[in-house]
Amino acid sequence: MRIPIKDVTPETERAVVIGWINEVRDLGGLAFYILRDRTGFLQVTIVKKKAPEAVVAAAKEASRESVVRVTGTIKATEKAPGGRELIPDTFEIISRAESPLPLDVSEKVPAEIDTRLDNRYLDARRPRVAAIFQIRSAVTHAINNLLFEEGFTNITTSKIVAAATEGGTELFPLAYFEKEAFLNQSPQLYKQMMMAAGFEKVFEIAPIFRAEEHNTTRHLNEATSIDVEISFADHHDVMDLLERVIVRAYTAVTETCGPALEALEIELAIPETPFPRITYAEAIDIAALSIDEDISYGDDLSTAAERAIGEEMGVHYFITDWPTEIKPYYAMPYEDNPTVCKAFDLMHPRMELSSGAQRIHEHDLLLTQIAAKGLSPEGFSFYLQPFRYGMPPHAGWGLGMDRLIMTMLGLQNIREAVLFPRDRHRVTP
Ligand code: ATP
Ligand code: AMO
């Protein structure tokens, strides 16, 4: 029976292992083959005069990154990784890799991100890359667990829609028989409609599509969004939930992803809660003092402004109480000052991670806000109708999974957090 490489110890007597050939060192009379599976590395040592002829012949044919099955005895040795080596009595090539390889898996030759993404299946053989996706998987698992523990219902909403969610722009049009259709930018309208359905607490982790033409290290055209919506809650309630989600994600990674963090050489600190909550007005003041741009109340926060405020704050923080004018139509204005709304962003010092708000639940006010944004209410009729037949007060947020992983692991490019990213120039693989 095949055993995982990590289970081969200096005390193991015999082993059958299957893996990829990570590295070959042929010293003439002696050859070393470093095998790799998803659990670790194992040195196979072939003394050509002593090894069976068939082993020597097969090993000679085996190129780097071929899949091989090797059986033999295990010897303890200080000189090999993990303090043991395998002395083979059989060596079988299961699937031979052609050479040259499109990408050097052993990382001796550095590769550009585009070459890596073009050959993602090879790139992901690297332990450091695989570690990112093990951590991403653990984060998904942890967030699912937390939300189920807190009584949420997981929903799946359509990604094919007839109109924009967040405004009129940034939509990918779709050929949908004789109708006009688009890829959805956000499950916003659907999660709100499920509040009208009485589901009370819903979440969805799914792709969102944004046809933004820019090409940055923190934007994708297809991103993964963690979306929640809660009835009978205000913006502060859902900010509290967002803190629990972030802390649970970091905690799960520190508790369950030790080897992956080691591969990435990361010591993860769990963010302390509560996260500071500063108002938009305070954020503008900080930015105005720190950057050379003209910036005043009512402006969107530029990338430079976000960075300057992030540097000042140094930890995760919320920006609350945004001008109603620069937040989406569904954000609830304060009763005593409707120019300010109950919207917030969750910020990591490097970038925005999440946006959310208490929502408008009154039909007429929502209609007014849609018109005030210059949007046409006709496109929203399916969304507006539920507000006429018993819509509870509610709040929610959308958290970018890719940015969460990117900031958690200090990745320089959001594409590193996504297996097969979609950007301005990339639709394959
Ligand atoms: P919104 O919800 O307003 O569309 P967002 O959730 O997409 O914003 P980000 O994309 O993180 O948020 O944008 C945050 C800020 O980054 C924006 O306010 C803008 O100043 C800046 N930004 C957005 N797009 C680009 C870009 N293509 N290049 C440089 N900076 C950008
Ligand atoms: P927003 O548009 O701010 O809010 O998106 C929420 C979060 O999703 C992530 N995100 C992206 N990540 C990578 N590339 C992109 N192009 C991209 N666009 C968005 C970000 C962002 O903070 N409906 C609201 C949420 C709500 O109020 O519930 C919304 O979509 O991390």
Side-chain angles (χ1 to χ4, degrees):
M1 270 291 283
R2 159 191 182 221
I3 63 170
I5 283 178
K6 75 165 169 33
D7 293 345
V8 179
T9 69
E11 289 75 43
T12 306
E13 282 173 19
R14 286 191 59 77
V16 180
V17 293
I18 300 183
W20 285 259
I21 298 179
N22 191 68
E23 206 185 317
V24 180
R25 270 182 297 143
D26 195 331
L27 309 177
L30 187 65
F32 301 108
Y33 288 76
I34 309 295
L35 293 200
R36 182 193 70 241
D37 71 8
R38 70 185 186 123
T39 68
F41 294 94
L42 174 66
Q43 176 172 297
V44 175
T45 303
I46 302 177
V47 181
K48 289 184 190 166
K49 275 194 184 147
K50 287 194 194 162
E53 250 172 59
V55 167
V56 177
K60 197 170 160 224
E61 288 303 308
S63 51
R64 278 171 59 209
E65 295 306 319
S66 294
V67 180
V68 295
R69 180 178 187 277
V70 187
T71 64
T73 49
I74 301 300
K75 247 179 67 186
T77 167
E78 292 297 301
K79 291 181 202 155
R84 78 289 195 241
E85 63 186 354
L86 189 154
I87 312 297
D89 38 49
T90 74
F91 192 115
E92 178 193 346
I93 300 172
I94 291 177
S95 176
R96 191 173 186 285
E98 290 175 29
S99 42
L101 293 161
L103 184 80
D104 176 20
V105 177
S106 72
E107 290 193 269
K108 291 206 167 108
V109 185
E112 297 292 330
I113 184 88
D114 272 323
T115 313
R116 293 180 45 201
L117 294 175
D118 286 343
N119 300 283
R120 196 53 144 163
Y121 67 97
L122 282 175
D123 182 51
R125 289 183 190 176
R126 298 166 160 176
R128 251 162 16 96
V129 176
I132 294 170
F133 297 100
Q134 279 152 14
I135 288 169
R136 186 171 163 135
S137 167
V139 166
T140 303
H141 185 77
I143 294 175
N144 269 284
N145 276 353
L146 175 74
L147 295 174
F148 284 129
E149 278 167 27
E150 294 206 10
F152 280 76
T153 300
N154 179 231
I155 59 168
T156 304
T157 64
S158 182
K159 303 307 152 204
I160 300 176
V161 296
T165 300
E166 304 291 312
T169 58
E170 300 165 16
L171 278 163
F172 282 113
L174 206 66
Y176 194 78
F177 309 111
E178 60 284 350
K179 277 193 182 358
E180 190 177 46
F182 306 93
L183 290 173
N184 205 4
Q185 296 168 308
S186 159
Q188 182 67 34
L189 309 188
Y190 296 96
K191 57 183 186 167
Q192 286 193 262
M193 286 193 284
M194 294 319 291
M195 299 298 100
F199 275 38
E200 218 167 293
K201 291 175 165 189
V202 300
F203 81 100
E204 175 166 19
I205 302 181
I208 55 171
F209 303 91
R210 311 235 165 154
E212 297 166 43
E213 293 206 356
H214 52 68
N215 209 7
T216 78
T217 53
R218 63 172 209 282
H219 289 89
L220 296 160
N221 291 111
E222 179 183 24
T224 299
S225 181
I226 304 158
D227 270 277
V228 310
E229 204 65 30
I230 311 184
S231 291
F232 316 113
D234 68 12
H235 50 314
H236 285 290
D237 297 324
V238 291
M239 281 191 267
D240 294 346
L241 171 67
L242 192 42
E243 287 176 350
R244 293 196 294 280
V245 164
I246 300 289
V247 167
R248 175 68 75 96
Y250 274 72
T251 305
V253 171
T254 56
E255 286 175 357
T256 66
C257 300
L261 288 172
E262 245 170 66
L264 287 160
E265 296 170 55
I266 290 175
E267 262 184 58
L268 200 60
I270 299 168
E272 275 177 37
T273 54
F275 300 156
R277 296 179 187 186
I278 61 169
T279 63
Y280 164 87
E282 288 166 334
I284 287 287
D285 287 344
I286 296 173
L289 283 176
S290 341
I291 56 172
D292 254 354
E293 277 168 34
D294 258 348
I295 177 164
S296 52
Y297 190 94
D299 292 341
D300 249 320
L301 292 180
S302 66
T303 303
E306 274 185 5
R307 287 232 178 91
I309 305 162
E311 235 162 75
E312 181 72 23
M313 301 301 293
V315 292
H316 288 83
Y317 63 101
F318 288 104
I319 303 178
T320 64
D321 299 358
W322 287 72
T324 306
E325 206 177 328
I326 59 171
K327 278 291 177 185
Y329 55 85
Y330 48 72
M332 176 71 102
Y334 279 96
E335 295 77 11
D336 53 353
N337 179 8
T339 66
V340 178
C341 68
K342 299 182 183 179
F344 59 86
D345 281 359
L346 171 67
M347 309 296 296
H348 177 277
R350 288 175 67 194
M351 73 191 78
E352 176 199 310
L353 291 185
S354 170
S355 294
Q358 182 182 331
R359 323 298 192 183
I360 295 174
H361 62 279
E362 297 142 26
H363 176 270
D364 293 354
L365 179 55
L366 188 55
L367 198 60
T368 307
Q369 291 303 94
I370 287 175
K373 297 279 176 194
L375 301 167
S376 119
E378 290 81 64
F380 292 90
S381 58
F382 76 94
Y383 164 68
L384 281 165
Q385 205 188 12
F387 290 80
R388 292 164 49 202
Y389 300 100
M391 176 63 94
H394 59 281
W397 43 254
L399 167 63
M401 171 71 92
D402 321 286
R403 289 187 184 182
L404 175 62
I405 301 299
M406 176 187 184
T407 51
M408 176 187 281
L409 303 181
L411 305 175
Q412 288 312 306
N413 191 324
I414 195 167
R415 291 161 184 76
E416 293 197 63
V418 180
L419 277 175
F420 301 105
R422 291 292 174 260
D423 63 30
R424 183 77 177 84
H425 304 292
R426 181 176 290 282
V427 280
T428 54

